[in-house]
Amino acid sequence: MDRYVVTGNPIAHSQSPFIHQAFADQTGQQISYERLLLPLDGFAQGIADFVQQGGLGCNVTVPFKTDALAVADELSERARLAEAVNTLKVMSDGRLFADNTDGAGLVMDLKRLGVPLTDKRILLLGAGGAARGVMGPLLAEQPAMLVVTNRTRARADELASRFASLGTVSRQPLDALQGSFDLIINSTSASLQGERLTLPASLCHSGTHVYDMMYGQEETPFMCWAAEQGVSHRYDGLGMLVGQAAESFYLWRGVRPNMAPVLQALRTRLEQAQ
């Protein structure tokens, strides 16, 4: 049985085994997929052991996405730009190929939801690893403008400069945001921590879509803010989770699974766990 894992610390909460087993059942692939808890200082050794034991691929989550970059022998262009890795593939010669499928997963989900991207004004909240992972794929959709904002201005400046060659990128300070946007994406961890970002109502217009990369049983604080502004198009990040997994599965197995039934099954699973 071909062996795959998801690794992080913590990792017990991960839904990846459910998602990938559903993909395998759907596509007739024979795989084993498990969670692998590694110590904070033991990522490189843990991955070396996994490869030695015949493992073929690994999903990587917090806090190891930059550790995965360091152990890779070969990087995809999107991993190089993001400076973070969420997928490792063991090549036939034992070397590690690294990719970042987060941005592809986000764009896949936005398209599934019917959210227009081309020639639209997009605001990206946050400038951390999650933001770096999605900038390239978002700019590939040729928006009219992608504005980055962050509490730490220097990080937003660095991110905007890094991706400026791929499209129209600008930055604004979080405490002085101006203009209205067609799509607002929250990549910060505020929702995970139950925090509400202080944002002006003027960011939204009647057709604005909002997307939070985080998800939970109820609407996130960011989605609640959008609801208070009258935004009806509000989405959480569960579809992005399934989308990035689908992209990883395709990289490993050469088969592209159908996201929709797996996403529905996962949402039902989470609702029943309440």
Side-chain angles (χ1 to χ4, degrees):
M1 186 86 65
D2 293 343
R3 185 177 174 221
Y4 299 87
V5 295
V6 58
T7 185
N9 188 330
I11 199 61
H13 66 286
S14 175
Q15 298 296 325
S16 292
F18 175 84
I19 295 169
H20 282 277
Q21 192 57 59
F23 288 160
D25 293 344
Q26 180 195 105
T27 58
Q29 299 288 304
Q30 300 299 312
I31 71 167
S32 163
Y33 190 108
E34 301 168 344
R35 300 178 184 90
L36 176 63
L37 177 68
L38 291 177
L40 295 177
D41 60 352
F43 179 82
Q45 186 59 53
I47 294 301
D49 292 344
F50 172 69
V51 174
Q52 184 67 32
Q53 294 160 9
L56 295 182
C58 178
N59 284 127
V60 183
T61 187
V62 176
F64 295 132
K65 290 187 178 185
T66 52
D67 296 85
L69 187 76
V71 304
D73 298 297
E74 187 177 329
L75 297 176
S76 71
E77 178 62 13
R78 52 194 183 188
R80 186 190 67 78
L81 276 170
E83 293 185 326
V85 164
N86 79 333
T87 305
L88 292 170
K89 177 182 179 179
V90 182
M91 297 185 285
S92 58
D93 60 1
R95 295 164 69 244
L96 288 173
F97 176 79
D99 199 1
N100 188 313
T101 66
D102 285 333
L106 172 64
V107 170
M108 207 181 302
D109 194 38
L110 289 169
K111 290 183 174 180
R112 178 189 68 84
L113 293 164
V115 179
L117 300 172
T118 303
D119 295 327
K120 300 301 180 182
R121 289 172 52 85
I122 302 175
L123 174 64
L124 181 60
L125 305 172
R132 285 204 311 273
V134 303
M135 288 277 289
L138 283 173
L139 288 168
E141 297 300 315
Q142 299 182 307
M145 176 178 288
L146 178 56
V147 175
V148 182
T149 187
N150 192 61
R151 283 176 178 150
T152 307
R153 296 190 189 189
R155 293 187 71 178
D157 290 347
E158 188 275 329
L159 192 64
S161 298
R162 182 172 184 80
F163 288 90
S165 64
L166 300 183
T168 305
V169 187
S170 64
R171 72 284 265 166
Q172 291 189 23
L174 186 60
D175 56 1
L177 284 169
Q178 295 182 339
S180 65
F181 296 88
D182 304 301
L183 170 63
I184 306 173
I185 301 170
N186 177 34
S187 78
T188 74
S189 59
S191 291
L192 268 184
Q193 297 154 3
E195 294 179 14
R196 286 186 62 136
L197 296 169
T198 303
L199 301 167
S202 58
L203 297 178
C204 305
H205 58 72
S206 59
T208 295
H209 296 72
V210 303
Y211 191 101
D212 197 332
M213 290 189 193
M214 307 303 146
Y215 62 89
Q217 276 99 355
E218 299 176 350
E219 287 206 332
T220 67
F222 172 66
M223 293 167 70
C224 290
W225 167 83
E228 290 166 7
Q229 315 316 314
V231 174
S232 57
H233 305 294
R234 306 186 302 276
Y235 316 106
D236 68 16
L238 199 64
M240 177 181 171
L241 176 69
V242 177
Q244 62 81 25
E247 192 76 2
S248 295
F249 191 87
Y250 177 70
L251 176 67
W252 293 330
R253 309 300 296 182
V255 179
R256 194 172 289 282
N258 181 1
M259 278 179 59
V262 178
L263 175 57
Q264 183 55 54
L266 178 59
R267 200 171 287 282
T268 300
R269 172 186 169 90
L270 292 176
E271 288 171 355
Q272 291 174 345
Q274 280 185 317

